[in-house]
Amino acid sequence: MTWFIDCATGAIPGAAITPHQPSRDAILAALRIALSRDEDPTGPYGPIGGLPSLVRIDRGADFLSATVANALGHFAVPVQDLPAYRPDLKGSIENLNRCAERMRFASLPRYTHAPSMPLRPGARSKHVDEAAPLPFAEFVRLLLEWITWWNTEHTSQALDGRTPLEAWRADPTPIENVDRELLHRYTLADDGRTRTLTASGVRSNKRYYVGEWMHGEAEAGIKVRVRFIPHHDHKIEVFDAASGKYLGPAHPSDAATDEQRRAHRRRKAAEKRRLARALSAAAAQTRTRYAAAGAALTEDRRRDGGGAWGRSLFFGWWRAGLLT
């Protein structure tokens, strides 16, 4: 479990669950969720979030990695590292961990700290948890439900009987929202390489990645930078290397879904029609036009469109025809 907690209200603004030891991917995912805000009340986090004034962390090696420090540094958020073996300095998160263990984990099958002591001294324990272990997806679902309950239904005496969400809404502290484009830019990993956009897409991790926006919105040959979630290669985010402008997402070309392929074909066909219209308009503008002439034109007069003599002949004939 990797999660953030608001020290004033005890609300959980973001969390990430991994089936392995937490690493950069989980920490960046939890940070991205914690900095964003969702007004949907049915979600586990709701409007809780925004740019914090201070982030206090324990001394986990992952939290002290350069990736996380750079992500918070772009938003000018100071980071306070707590000393090791001092749980009294981080009571908020320690209390949250204890509540999660006792309120949620203890009721799940195969709980590690379930009572297994024998009833009589010297007797062998026959307590065996024969329940099937939970699949990882089911465990994540149950834990997100618990986070929703904690934020929206759980009340605390420290909050005068209010829920963390109610205390959050009643807090008059101004909230600074974070632009989603900046979240994509600074809370994803970047290997520092500059790549070239080709007709086949962007090459990364020995695979080509393509996106709908590549048809028309970006020309082949431009230099781009790639940002991604560590240990996940199903999608990347592409940025212009020169300006840092966000261009769009891209997915592996060899693993595209049917809908993604259809979207690519529609976008490609639309771009072909746009280019055909532009070519037709350009051809109409460059077509050679000649003025009326009553005599053979020399090269100089042909460039002049017939010259003044040709125009005067035409005008006199028109007036004569009008008078007769």
Side-chain angles (χ1 to χ4, degrees):
M1 277 295 306
T2 303
W3 48 18
F4 290 83
I5 184 173
D6 176 57
C7 297
T9 63
I12 302 174
I17 306 101
T18 55
H20 51 76
Q21 187 70 17
S23 58
R24 291 185 304 162
D25 59 339
I27 297 169
L28 288 176
L31 178 63
R32 188 163 52 253
I33 297 172
L35 295 181
S36 62
R37 300 180 65 219
D38 185 6
E39 294 296 338
D40 183 8
T42 62
Y45 313 106
I48 303 172
L51 200 63
S53 59
L54 174 68
V55 173
R56 305 172 72 234
I57 62 175
D58 62 14
R59 296 187 60 84
D62 294 311
F63 275 112
L64 300 179
S65 67
T67 301
V68 177
N70 290 337
L72 293 174
H74 284 297
F75 297 104
V77 176
V79 177
Q80 180 182 7
D81 300 333
L82 298 179
Y85 308 109
R86 292 295 304 273
D88 55 302
L89 298 179
K90 47 180 179 177
S92 300
I93 199 68
E94 291 292 339
N95 178 67
L96 177 62
N97 292 337
R98 184 169 54 253
C99 290
E101 182 176 358
R102 295 179 179 178
M103 296 180 178
R104 177 75 280 182
F105 299 151
S107 63
L108 300 179
R110 304 295 184 94
Y111 176 57
T112 305
H113 302 292
S116 59
M117 295 296 294
L119 297 178
R120 291 185 294 107
R124 274 181 108 176
S125 174
K126 296 183 179 180
H127 175 77
V128 178
D129 190 350
E130 298 180 353
L134 285 175
F136 176 70
E138 180 66 13
F139 173 76
V140 172
R141 185 187 67 81
L142 293 175
L143 195 53
L144 291 179
E145 286 184 354
W146 186 83
I147 292 176
T148 304
W149 171 84
W150 176 273
N151 284 340
T152 61
E153 299 181 33
H154 165 70
T155 59
S156 171
Q157 292 182 353
L159 300 176
D160 299 327
R162 296 176 297 176
T163 66
L165 180 58
E166 291 173 343
W168 172 274
R169 294 185 184 277
D171 193 333
T173 304
I175 300 175
E176 184 177 355
N177 294 322
V178 183
D179 186 84
R180 292 188 178 273
E181 182 175 334
L182 296 180
L183 283 178
H184 279 292
R185 180 178 302 178
Y186 297 130
T187 60
L188 296 174
D190 185 351
D191 58 7
R193 293 178 54 191
T194 300
R195 296 171 170 82
T196 302
L197 180 63
T198 67
S200 300
V202 178
R203 186 168 179 81
S204 178
N205 296 325
K206 300 180 180 180
R207 306 173 74 179
Y208 277 103
Y209 288 78
V210 296
E212 298 178 43
W213 54 270
M214 294 181 183
H215 300 293
E217 296 183 13
E219 297 180 358
I222 67 171
K223 302 298 182 180
V224 297
R225 295 283 292 270
V226 168
R227 295 182 182 272
F228 55 90
I229 301 176
H231 312 302
H232 296 269
D233 59 356
H234 63 282
K235 189 176 74 168
I236 60 174
E237 305 290 342
V238 185
F239 297 80
D240 186 274
S243 63
K245 178 184 177 182
Y246 175 61
L247 299 178
H251 55 269
S253 59
D254 57 351
T257 64
D258 293 339
E259 179 58 31
Q260 288 172 338
R261 291 191 181 95
R262 286 193 293 268
H264 275 286
R265 288 194 293 267
R266 289 194 298 267
R267 189 62 176 268
K268 189 175 182 179
E271 182 63 14
K272 288 176 64 177
R273 291 192 297 268
R274 186 188 70 82
L275 292 177
R277 289 193 298 268
L279 183 61
S280 177
Q285 293 295 328
T286 58
R287 186 181 301 117
T288 303
R289 293 176 172 84
Y290 294 95
L297 300 180
T298 64
E299 184 62 27
D300 293 337
R301 294 181 63 194
R302 189 176 292 115
R303 285 196 299 265
D304 187 41
W309 177 245
R311 288 192 293 272
S312 63
L313 279 179
F314 174 80
F315 183 71
W317 175 87
W318 176 77
R319 291 190 60 191
L322 182 62
L323 295 174
T324 54

